Amino acid sequence: MVKEELYITVPSVFRCPISLDVMKSPVSLCTGVTYDRSSIQHWLESGHDTCPATMQVLPSKDFVPNLTLHRLINLWVQSSTLRPGSDSPRLLVAKSPAISEVRAKLLMEKIESESCVDSLTKVAEFVSCSEENRRFIVRFGDSSEIIASVLRRKCVEIKALEMAVRILDLILSENGVKERLNKLILESNQENNFLSSIVLILQNGSLNSKTESIRVLDSIALDSESKRRIADSQNLISVLVHLLKSNDNEPLNDAVVSFLTNVSITRSIKSQLIQNGAVEILSNSLTEKSLKMLAILCACPEGRSAISSDPKCAAGIVERLLKVSKTATEDAVLVLWSVCCLRKDEKVKEEVVKGNGVTKILVVMQREGEGNVRMMCRDLVKALRAGCKDWTLGSYETRTTHIRP
């Protein structure tokens, strides 16, 4: 019969502030803080002259045994340990929590000098535990620069790159982090190595690390110059479009489309997207974010041509027209208006009419009131009537059949 195991909680005062393990030989610094002897010796021998817990400069590095605490720990251990042969449940010390703040400081210093996977993994676990831990890491020195430097180094194993990206993704929401990353990567002209590491993760990393990498990229694309420089570097557009085409992971695809929407600010970037087949891929999954992306691409002639040449696109947009949010409906109307009224594509007009598009456009026109969307709806109805002799209002249940442009 297997004996039952009971876990006991260790009093926090018995744990070393550095290792978080029960202290075997507690010693106190002149600041009054007690540590396990082996942990504080390692700290001081590493060249530090401060108390790890308080960061006070030490006037003396001497420490003295804390005999009282040592006796209390021994008494606690004896009372918590059952004699051999006992039939009572076996007591086990509860697993120590994530690394301490002091240990996190030591790991960050180690990461600054070498891209150690183990150190990065432990820091990633630390920042994922709580918002307080994330704030602590952000307040610690140049944490953003230290982690970003891992991605700027050469010949770093991909696991270390993934851990660095995970840490950055976790601390992005903290005050000032996005701005510091933008300055570190772009103003220092070191984006090439950084983006090369990101592309490597996008090509060979896990699904989670790919999603995190894209969120990090999105966070540093803060202005038109940074958006342009990021999008035009390292063949990034083709890599991202390939990601959209080759996987069906919704969080990853959402992150990719959001990023591409954010950086598609120049004719060159839009052309790259269109040439890499973005329109066809977006047409296969007309989410609200996809509609936003199509609304951006239809602003240039190549985009309107690509949308017109894809028979599924216009039909899918009409089908989704009244099933999405107000903003997405406006994007859908803009795309239809661009290909039907600007490009005047007769085949697209026929597809819109076949999908009961006239009735749906009238519904949108009625609820929009005055504004650009209503004007585009009016233009669309006129274009559809002029281009299709056999157009009729469909059977869609609505009270808007009296509306005429």
Side-chain angles (χ1 to χ4, degrees):
M1 182 176 178
V2 179
K3 291 183 179 180
E4 183 183 358
E5 295 180 348
L6 299 178
Y7 286 83
I8 55 175
T9 302
V10 180
S12 59
V13 71
F14 293 170
R15 291 190 187 273
C16 172
I18 296 176
S19 68
L20 292 183
D21 294 328
V22 177
M23 289 183 279
K24 296 178 181 178
S25 179
V27 295
S28 298
L29 293 177
C30 59
T31 57
V33 182
T34 300
Y35 304 90
D36 192 53
R37 182 186 295 270
S38 61
S39 296
I40 194 61
Q41 278 183 330
H42 181 268
W43 170 266
L44 296 174
E45 288 171 359
S46 298
H48 297 93
D49 61 353
T50 56
C51 172
T54 65
M55 295 311 292
Q56 291 176 260
V57 176
L58 297 170
S60 169
K61 293 186 179 181
D62 295 335
F63 48 76
V64 295
N66 191 327
L67 299 178
T68 300
L69 186 57
H70 195 202
R71 283 194 294 270
L72 289 172
I73 292 173
N74 284 336
L75 287 172
W76 175 80
V77 170
Q78 291 171 13
S79 66
S80 301
T81 306
L82 299 179
R83 291 186 297 274
S86 171
D87 292 329
S88 302
R90 186 161 62 97
L91 296 177
L92 301 174
V93 174
K95 184 179 179 181
S96 61
I99 62 171
S100 65
E101 292 184 355
V102 174
R103 181 65 178 156
K105 293 175 186 176
L106 289 170
L107 291 171
M108 289 295 289
E109 291 179 355
K110 187 174 183 180
I111 291 168
E112 192 169 11
S113 59
E114 58 178 293
S115 304
C116 176
V117 174
D118 183 59
S119 299
L120 286 161
T121 301
K122 288 178 180 176
V123 172
E125 292 173 353
F126 177 76
V127 296
S128 66
C129 284
S130 67
E131 187 175 347
E132 182 181 352
N133 286 0
R134 291 190 283 276
R135 289 200 191 105
F136 172 80
I137 285 294
V138 171
R139 291 196 305 267
F140 172 73
D142 299 320
S143 58
S144 300
E145 184 170 7
I146 292 171
I147 300 302
S149 69
V150 176
L151 294 159
R152 297 202 302 265
R153 297 170 193 167
K154 296 181 179 179
C155 302
V156 178
E157 60 180 297
I158 191 165
K159 187 65 176 177
L161 298 176
E162 288 182 304
M163 287 299 106
V165 161
R166 179 165 301 173
I167 295 168
L168 291 177
D169 181 54
L170 286 166
I171 64 175
L172 281 177
S173 60
E174 298 303 317
N175 188 38
V177 170
K178 295 178 182 180
E179 291 75 15
R180 286 201 293 275
L181 281 176
N182 177 279
K183 184 176 181 179
L184 286 170
I185 305 307
L186 299 171
E187 291 190 10
S188 59
N189 293 317
Q190 297 193 43
E191 75 269 18
N192 287 335
N193 288 342
F194 182 90
L195 290 174
S196 294
S197 296
I198 294 292
V199 168
L200 183 62
I201 295 173
L202 294 176
Q203 292 173 328
N204 303 298
S206 66
L207 284 175
N208 284 339
S209 63
K210 289 176 182 178
T211 305
E212 291 158 354
S213 297
I214 296 166
R215 286 200 294 256
V216 170
L217 278 182
D218 212 4
S219 73
I220 61 175
L222 295 177
D223 51 44
S224 58
E225 177 62 16
S226 59
K227 291 174 183 179
R228 183 192 61 77
R229 286 172 62 178
I230 292 169
D232 286 339
S233 298
Q234 301 296 323
N235 205 26
L236 184 61
I237 295 296
S238 62
V239 171
L240 291 174
V241 173
H242 177 72
L243 267 183
L244 279 178
K245 185 177 182 179
S246 60
N247 87 92
D248 57 359
N249 182 270
E250 188 174 341
L252 175 57
N253 287 344
D254 280 351
V256 171
V257 176
S258 293
F259 171 72
L260 291 176
T261 300
N262 183 26
V263 299
S264 297
I265 59 171
T266 67
R267 175 76 173 269
S268 171
I269 296 170
K270 294 172 187 175
S271 295
Q272 289 183 60
L273 283 166
I274 295 161
Q275 291 166 11
N276 281 281
V279 169
E280 181 181 357
I281 297 167
L282 294 169
S283 300
N284 290 331
S285 177
L286 285 170
T287 64
E288 296 199 0
K289 290 184 178 181
S290 297
L291 289 170
K292 173 61 71 178
M293 187 78 251
L294 288 171
I296 291 172
L297 295 180
C298 75
C300 59
E302 304 100 296
R304 295 192 288 275
S305 176
I307 293 168
S308 297
S309 62
D310 185 352
K312 295 179 296 183
C313 192
I317 291 173
V318 172
E319 198 276 330
R320 296 278 291 157
L321 191 58
L322 298 178
K323 300 178 181 179
V324 292
S325 68
K326 184 176 184 295
T327 300
T329 299
E330 293 172 358
D331 292 328
V333 169
L334 175 58
V335 176
L336 294 176
W337 179 83
S338 297
V339 291
C340 293
C341 299
L342 286 185
R343 184 174 169 78
K344 301 179 180 179
D345 192 292
E346 298 302 325
K347 290 184 178 180
V348 174
K349 292 179 185 179
E350 291 176 7
E351 289 294 327
V352 174
V353 171
K354 287 179 184 177
N356 198 21
V358 176
T359 301
K360 294 179 180 180
I361 291 167
L362 288 169
V363 172
V364 175
M365 187 165 68
Q366 182 191 43
R367 71 188 187 191
E368 281 301 318
E370 296 300 324
N372 291 334
V373 176
R374 182 180 176 87
M375 291 174 62
M376 286 189 288
C377 287
R378 185 183 296 117
D379 291 344
L380 272 168
V381 174
K382 287 180 179 179
L384 295 172
R385 289 179 64 182
C388 303
K389 296 179 181 179
D390 59 345
W391 83 281
T392 58
L393 289 172
S395 59
Y396 190 85
E397 292 185 6
T398 176
R399 297 180 181 179
T400 63
T401 55
H402 63 285
I403 298 176
R404 293 291 182 272

